Amino acid sequence: MGIIGKHSYRLENTPHIVSSACYVGDKEGKGPMREYFDKICKDDTLGLDSWEQAESRMFESAVRVALAKIGKQSDDLSCLLGGDLLNQIISAGYAAREIRAPFLGLYGACSTISEGLLVGGMLVDGGFLDLAACAASSHFSSAERQYRYPLEMGVQAVPTSQRTVTGAGSIIIKNSASMNDETDWFFKHIVITGGTIGSVEDYGITDANNMGAAMAPAASETICTHFRDYSSSPDDYDCIITGDLGNFGSDMLYELCKKEGYDIKEKHEDCGKMMFSEDQNVNCGASGCGCAATIVSGYFLPQIERGVYNKVLFLATGALLSPVSSLQGESIPSIAHAVVLEHV
Amino acid sequence: MGIIGKHSYRLENTPHIVSSACYVGDKEGKGPMREYFDKICKDDTLGLDSWEQAESRMFESAVRVALAKIGKQSDDLSCLLGGDLLNQIISAGYAAREIRAPFLGLYGACSTISEGLLVGGMLVDGGFLDLAACAASSHFSSAERQYRYPLEMGVQAVPTSQRTVTGAGSIIIKNSASMNDETDWFFKHIVITGGTIGSVEDYGITDANNMGAAMAPAASETICTHFRDYSSSPDDYDCIITGDLGNFGSDMLYELCKKEGYDIKEKHEDCGKMMFSEDQNVNCGASGCGCAATIVSGYFLPQIERGVYNKVLFLATGALLSPVSSLQGESIPSIAHAVVLEHV
């Protein structure tokens, strides 16, 4: 049995992460992480008719590029697991139509890439899938009109706001038992060894422009549950990576973890704080499914591959709101799923 | 390894389905299936402020009632897997906040309950979860304003339209290896033995009022892939149950399967055709996540428990459209996930 404690599990067959790819927009491509991305687009429509179509194309492209790096095609995939921020996850759905692999649609808002790694990891570990792709995307322009205001209105961003990343990331998981063939794997030294399934937390935040505050409680709950289930502590990890808490949410996370007896500040990195530089004027940082998906794919996985980090806890957080629930005055529940990634 | 063929798998530890519950609206409670539902509400707001809140409450209630039938509470759950039709699956998300179990948000439109059984079945079979709840919901009034027109406009339904079911269903899966305790399981004789993960199909249908036609190709593709992967045929099943193809979609399914060499008509039942009687004026039948979720929970599972059916193939189909993609002129891709349920 892989179950540990109440909400965690161990992957006894340690599936490998064998490839990844990421595709970002122009602004992301001018930020401090620019050298780590596979593709940067100058035109955020990619020449297509809508931002939604462009987002879907980026999703598809991230999956195809990750497969190409290991000489594989979509036909070799056992399953594609993924989602995005839009209504009825259309970016993922239309990309899956083009990719034509078995598809499991997931929705965890900005936590989607870690939900994908969590579910995909378990399904590969259990022998149900051989080669699985996990992917997630977001797009600044499609997300703004979905969740907030049409861009044409020119509404000014508030100080707690975060900018939705235009980008898509894809990570390929492979059953370790069947790796002894002649494929030249892009990554050879990264395995998923376990994780913790998040539950929905809600501290009553109703401001759709303050995602960090809404998501920090979920991150804290999942991190502390993980430490308790595994009888571990921040000392056991080289790095604890969150998805897109941003500046304000990260500070709130440190406080919440400290109350539970865990000081994580020195070990913590947040993709939402890494994506843009201060002079890019993004207030509290970056957000969106594409934020963690691109930075983990493009930056953290190569670091683990080279042994810069030997063991990390990666958890992306998602705010489970919709425009309908916001207008109806509901607060913003959130969730975070964690996976343990190790260098072997 | 549980993999069979390209897209199918076998569950070697045959997890048990140990309970289920379903909750429907007034119109559903006046239809031919009325005696099989656990709860029927007269007021489709349940006295709450919005239809969305009511749908979420029904989702939560379906999970709690299914747990109560086996003397369990939400705290006993290893995981809740589910989703619904609304933007960002808020019915499931807000229900998960109340239930407070680990939560995996899924999106497969009306295929969500079979996606839940498929993923939940594999995770229980692989030893990652012990007791998992799969649930899905839909609500006529929240779905109409989400996908088509506000009800207040009184737009007339077209002949190919199907009525979204107001209802929620929940199914509880248990690891078979840990069943030897003193719990009085509500179902003792139903196991999940395998399934087939669907891929996204699109025959170019653009009419959001003709879901059956959009979804039939996905159902046909998954059924035929399943037969090929398992080297089986319709003769190997007592019943092939689809979610909500309705009258038109079911006829289209027979034609598509026949072209592939499989005659399924005599073995086929469609939850969308069973929910309402002809004099209830619903055109091509019922649809929505709640359609298959309630009829499988309330009617088919008890039939399998009693041995009326010994082996069924259950697949719900989902149309992966959104209001945004419809307005942008995109066609409607669809998906179907299948699970094999057997009497033991």
Side-chain angles (χ1 to χ4, degrees), chain A residues 1-3 6-7 9-11 50 52 75 77 79 85-90 93-94 96-97 100-107 115 118-119 122-123 125-130 145-147 175 197-202 320-325 328 330-331 333 335 337, chain B residues 1-3 6-7 9-11 50 52 75 77 79 85-90 93-94 96-97 100-107 115 118-119 122-123 125-130 145-147 175 197-202 320-325 328 330-331 333 335 337:
Chain A
M1 293 284 275
I3 300 171
K6 187 145 176 58
H7 297 177
Y9 59 89
R10 191 164 279 147
L11 298 186
S50 69
E52 287 76 10
D75 199 44
L77 273 182
C79 191
L85 287 179
L86 296 184
N87 268 4
Q88 286 79 33
I89 59 164
I90 47 171
Y94 284 105
R97 178 182 70 181
R100 294 194 58 73
F103 173 60
L104 293 172
L106 304 178
Y107 188 75
E115 185 179 352
L118 183 119
V119 175
M122 289 191 277
L123 296 185
D125 191 70
F128 303 106
L129 302 176
D130 184 57
R145 76 170 163 202
Q146 167 88 149
Y147 285 95
N175 187 316
I197 308 176
S199 51
V200 178
E201 301 297 320
D202 191 335
L320 303 175
L321 82 166
S322 91
V324 173
S325 62
Q328 291 181 353
E330 266 285 9
S331 57
I335 196 160
H337 299 294
Chain B
M1 292 288 275
I3 300 171
K6 184 141 177 64
H7 298 176
Y9 59 89
R10 191 165 278 146
L11 299 186
S50 70
E52 286 76 10
D75 199 43
L77 273 182
C79 190
L85 286 179
L86 297 183
N87 268 3
Q88 286 78 33
I89 62 165
I90 46 171
Y94 284 105
R97 178 183 70 181
R100 294 194 55 73
F103 173 60
L104 293 173
L106 304 178
Y107 187 77
E115 184 178 352
L118 183 119
V119 176
M122 289 191 277
L123 296 185
D125 192 71
F128 304 107
L129 303 176
D130 185 57
R145 76 169 163 201
Q146 167 88 150
Y147 285 96
N175 187 316
I197 308 175
S199 51
V200 178
E201 301 296 320
D202 192 333
L320 303 176
L321 82 166
S322 91
V324 173
S325 61
Q328 290 181 353
E330 266 283 10
S331 56
I335 196 161
H337 299 294

Side-chain angles (χ1 to χ4, degrees), chain B residues 78-159:
Chain B
S78 314
C79 190
L80 168 65
L81 301 98
D84 57 89
L85 286 179
L86 297 183
N87 268 3
Q88 286 78 33
I89 62 165
I90 46 171
S91 310
Y94 284 105
R97 178 183 70 181
E98 302 306 316
I99 291 169
R100 294 194 55 73
F103 173 60
L104 293 173
L106 304 178
Y107 187 77
C110 306
S111 75
T112 302
I113 191 70
S114 58
E115 184 178 352
L117 284 171
L118 183 119
V119 176
M122 289 191 277
L123 296 185
V124 171
D125 192 71
F128 304 107
L129 303 176
D130 185 57
L131 190 75
C134 309
S137 67
S138 55
H139 191 297
F140 171 71
S141 305
S142 66
E144 283 301 306
R145 76 169 163 201
Q146 167 88 150
Y147 285 96
R148 297 177 191 92
Y149 300 100
L151 284 184
E152 294 79 355
M153 274 179 70
V155 171
Q156 199 173 352
V158 302

Side-chain angles (χ1 to χ4, degrees), chain A residues 135-254:
Chain A
S137 67
S138 56
H139 191 297
F140 171 71
S141 305
S142 67
E144 282 301 305
R145 76 170 163 202
Q146 167 88 149
Y147 285 95
R148 296 177 191 92
Y149 300 100
L151 284 185
E152 293 80 354
M153 275 179 70
V155 172
Q156 199 172 353
V158 302
T160 53
S161 72
Q162 295 171 238
R163 183 183 166 101
T164 302
V165 164
T166 298
S170 164
I171 297 170
I172 312 284
I173 308 173
K174 170 73 185 163
N175 187 316
S176 299
S178 60
M179 277 186 69
N180 300 320
D181 60 16
E182 280 144 37
T183 305
D184 186 17
W185 306 107
F186 186 70
F187 297 131
K188 296 182 182 70
H189 303 291
I190 312 172
V191 292
I192 312 177
T193 60
T196 298
I197 308 176
S199 51
V200 178
E201 301 297 320
D202 191 335
Y203 274 28
I205 304 286
T206 53
D207 180 0
N209 289 304
N210 194 352
M211 291 294 163
M215 299 192 296
S220 156
E221 178 65 26
T222 299
I223 290 171
C224 297
T225 299
H226 182 85
F227 290 152
R228 282 191 292 265
D229 283 350
Y230 269 77
S231 304
S232 66
S233 78
D235 296 340
D236 297 307
Y237 297 90
D238 296 326
C239 191
I240 297 166
I241 307 161
T242 52
D244 54 355
L245 293 175
N247 303 328
F248 186 80
S250 294
D251 288 345
M252 194 166 154
L253 173 66
Y254 306 148

